[in-house]
């Protein structure tokens, strides 16, 4: 049983950590006319690309395995690491299989990302998906539906395949199943965190954006019963929530430090994969249902403004629902939205009397001694206090 689970985790690890994208190349070998759509963080309605036969690929940065040699000549060195490593992958030819690339104006730096890509790769269809600036506006559903249909039209031109209601509905059902499996994985983390470590859980989750969803559903469907069947005993560890991994991702080594010290019972790592918190309805206009789901049954993030979901309140809700005892509020270096939200989160957590640690990270960090010392000191001080 453990051997099978380890094999599943290793397949996910390879898909997530290998900058040569082996799962994508395997899919292309099996689909000779297949096309790949890469999209930047945080959220993209991947069902639309899938319905046209494309493979949606959630673009992320990489750790020190991807050295930045060319990107700094085209984009400022003082922006966040994920923007630079994403561009480096393209300039180095690692992702020359892309037929389309979609960005989102989630911050000042990302707002200019499409212009850089368009200039460097004129043969690649580089697009911007303009998600509503005010998700609570009564005009947001109609506006977002028009944006989805615009992007769908471009995808149809690239693939030569029409996106029908039937094909989109089939894709929605597939991705609904994927989100249900991910919710179950996180339920295990909240209820019995001793059953699955943070790094393994992260790899099982993040692989959704790096391989075909059909394969990911199969792997998760096999893994979850194996995780539940484990007979691991709880340890005397602090239960914490990690906030700040919605765009650039912490290095896997940093996650190892976290799991050594505490149980991370909830987080916002790659939140776009779990952005829709309920199944998208399968009756009615499927494109409209996707647009409404983004606005009405979705999670929260510093890059979306929705006065109905104050981010500070949503973080407190996440902490209470997961029965966490503390929080780590982190932000990538040079991340304007993340660093800005740290102030609001700090004030809210202080007012609520919830212990928390404020810290920064970078995906290309190689030395974690300082992070380990900070996290260990934070956790141990609270454990002694609780005793």
């Amino acid at each position: 049983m453990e051997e099978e689970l380890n094999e599943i985790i290793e397949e996910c690890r390879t898909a997530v950590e290998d900058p040569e994208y082996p799962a994508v190349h395997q899919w292309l070998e099996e689909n000779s006319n297949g096309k790949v759509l890469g999209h930047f963080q945080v959220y993209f309605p991947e069902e639309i690309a899938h319905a046209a036969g494309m493979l949606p690929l959630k673009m992320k940065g990489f750790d020190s395995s991807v050295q930045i040699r060319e990107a700094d000549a085209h984009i400022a060195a003082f922006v966040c690491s994920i923007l630079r490593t994403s561009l480096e992958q393209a300039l180095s030819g690692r992702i020359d299989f892309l037929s389309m690339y979609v960005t989102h104006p989630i911050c000042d730096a990302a707002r200019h990302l499409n212009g850089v890509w368009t200039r460097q790769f004129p043969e690649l269809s580089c697009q911007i998906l303009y998600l509503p600036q005010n998700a609570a506006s009564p005009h947001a559903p109609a506006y977002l539906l028009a944006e989805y249909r615009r992007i769908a039209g471009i995808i149809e031109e690239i693939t030569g395949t029409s996106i029908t209601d039937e094909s989109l509905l089939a894709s929605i059902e597939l991705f609904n199943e994927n989100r249900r499996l991910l919710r179950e994985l996180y339920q295990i983390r909240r209820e019995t965190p001793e059953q699955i470590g943070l790094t393994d859980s992260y790899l099982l989750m993040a692989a959704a954006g790096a391989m075909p969803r059909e394969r990911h559903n199969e792997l998760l469907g096999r893994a979850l019963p194996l995780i539940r069947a484990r007979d691991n005993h709880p340890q005397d560890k602090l239960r914490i929530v990690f906030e700040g991994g919605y765009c650039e991702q912490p290095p896997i080594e940093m996650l190892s430090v976290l799991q050594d010290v505490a149980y991370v019972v909830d987080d916002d790592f790659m939140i776009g994969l779990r952005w829709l918190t309920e199944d998208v309805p399968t009756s009615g206009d499927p494109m409209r249902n996707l647009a409404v789901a983004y606005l009405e049954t979705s999670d929260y993030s510093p890059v979306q403004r929705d006065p109905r979901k104050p981010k500070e309140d949503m973080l407190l809700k996440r902490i209470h629902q997961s029965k966490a005892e503390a929080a780590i509020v982190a932000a990538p270096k040079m991340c304007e939205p993340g660093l800005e939200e740290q102030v609001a989160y700090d004030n809210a957590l202080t007012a609520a009397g919830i212990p928390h640690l404020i810290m920064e990270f970078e995906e290309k960090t190689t030395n974690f001694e300082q992070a380990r010392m900070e996290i260990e000191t934070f956790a141990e001080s609270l454990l002694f206090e609780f005793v």
Side-chain angles (χ1 to χ4, degrees):
M1 188 170 64
E2 281 297 307
E3 183 178 352
E4 180 183 0
L5 182 58
N6 288 335
E7 289 176 356
I8 293 170
I9 293 171
E10 283 308 306
E11 180 174 342
C12 291
R13 182 188 301 276
T14 300
V16 172
E17 294 191 325
D18 191 334
E20 302 302 327
Y21 295 96
V24 175
H25 285 289
Q26 181 178 345
W27 182 85
L28 288 170
E29 290 175 5
E30 297 169 355
N31 299 268
S32 57
N33 296 319
K35 298 183 184 300
V36 182
L37 181 150
H39 60 93
F40 192 68
Q41 308 275 17
V42 171
Y43 173 78
F44 178 80
E46 295 179 307
E47 293 91 334
I48 298 175
H50 184 272
M54 297 189 86
L55 175 65
L57 175 66
K58 191 172 183 65
M59 300 295 299
K60 69 180 189 67
F62 281 92
D63 58 17
S64 56
S65 61
V66 175
Q67 296 293 323
I68 297 179
R69 294 188 171 90
E70 301 181 58
D72 283 351
H74 305 280
I75 194 168
F78 54 77
V79 302
C80 62
S81 181
I82 186 173
L83 290 176
R84 296 157 60 215
T85 52
S86 297
L87 180 60
E88 183 68 32
Q89 292 173 67
L91 292 169
S92 63
R94 287 186 174 91
I95 51 176
D96 56 6
F97 49 71
L98 290 184
S99 296
M100 183 173 176
Y101 182 64
V102 182
T103 63
H104 317 281
I106 59 175
C107 65
D108 285 343
R111 187 171 291 112
H112 300 285
L113 189 60
N114 181 266
V116 176
W117 279 66
T118 299
R119 185 171 62 249
Q120 295 302 316
F121 312 106
E123 73 288 351
L124 179 64
S125 177
C126 298
Q127 303 294 327
I128 301 176
L129 173 61
Y130 293 97
L131 297 168
Q133 292 296 311
N134 182 2
S137 167
H139 305 290
Y143 165 80
L144 185 55
L145 176 59
E147 269 295 281
Y148 281 6
R149 285 177 172 162
R150 179 183 67 82
I151 291 293
I154 298 171
I155 290 173
E156 289 176 329
E157 291 180 6
I158 291 173
T159 61
T161 301
S162 296
I163 300 173
T164 64
D165 285 354
E166 291 73 20
S167 64
L168 185 54
L169 176 60
S171 295
I172 287 173
E173 291 176 340
L174 175 71
F175 281 75
N176 277 346
E177 175 63 17
N178 188 251
R179 287 184 287 265
R180 283 196 292 267
L181 291 167
L182 289 174
R183 287 197 294 269
E184 183 178 347
L185 175 62
Y186 271 73
Q187 181 183 14
I188 294 173
R189 286 257 309 279
R190 288 189 297 270
E191 295 177 353
T192 53
E194 69 275 5
Q195 295 294 79
I196 179 75
L198 176 60
T199 56
D200 289 348
S201 171
Y202 176 84
L203 293 169
L204 288 170
M205 176 273 297
M211 63 171 59
R213 279 306 199 287
E214 294 86 349
R215 178 58 175 168
H216 190 249
N217 283 356
E218 177 190 345
L219 293 176
L220 268 189
R222 289 166 49 200
L224 293 176
L226 298 175
I227 295 170
R228 289 193 180 277
R230 281 174 158 174
D231 188 27
N232 294 346
H233 299 289
Q235 299 179 18
D236 186 20
K237 287 184 176 181
L238 188 70
R239 293 172 62 94
I240 67 170
V241 162
F242 185 98
E243 187 80 12
Y246 58 90
C247 184
E248 182 173 325
Q249 300 298 290
I252 200 74
E253 292 84 356
M254 180 175 173
L255 302 188
S256 297
V257 171
L258 285 167
Q259 76 174 10
D260 288 345
V261 176
Y263 285 133
V264 180
V265 292
D266 208 346
D267 58 66
D268 64 344
F269 298 136
M270 284 207 170
I271 195 63
L273 296 173
R274 300 170 283 123
W275 182 255
L276 305 184
T277 56
E278 299 177 11
D279 284 356
V280 178
T282 53
S283 60
D285 181 348
M287 193 77 75
R288 181 181 297 276
N289 290 343
L290 274 175
V292 172
Y294 172 83
L295 299 167
E296 302 297 334
T297 55
S298 56
D299 216 309
Y300 69 99
S301 165
V303 299
Q304 185 201 54
R305 179 183 179 274
D306 190 340
R308 300 168 301 177
K309 299 185 297 185
K311 290 179 282 293
E312 301 91 329
D313 293 346
M314 296 297 287
L315 173 57
L316 294 176
K317 181 179 179 181
R318 173 172 281 166
I319 291 170
H320 293 314
Q321 288 184 339
S322 60
K323 299 180 180 178
E325 300 161 302
I328 291 181
V329 180
K333 293 182 178 179
M334 306 295 182
C335 175
E336 180 184 343
L339 293 169
E340 187 176 276
E341 289 300 328
Q342 278 188 333
V343 178
Y345 287 147
D346 181 29
N347 292 337
L349 292 169
T350 299
I354 297 175
H356 56 284
L357 174 65
I358 304 292
M359 61 187 306
E360 289 184 344
F361 67 85
E362 186 177 23
E363 62 184 10
K364 302 186 76 61
T365 301
T366 56
N367 189 322
F368 301 93
E369 290 308 310
Q370 181 177 344
R372 177 178 290 277
M373 182 177 64
E374 290 181 11
I375 296 168
E376 285 182 347
T377 302
F378 173 68
E380 289 173 2
S381 65
L382 291 178
L383 286 174
F384 287 133
E385 180 180 321
F386 293 154
V387 171

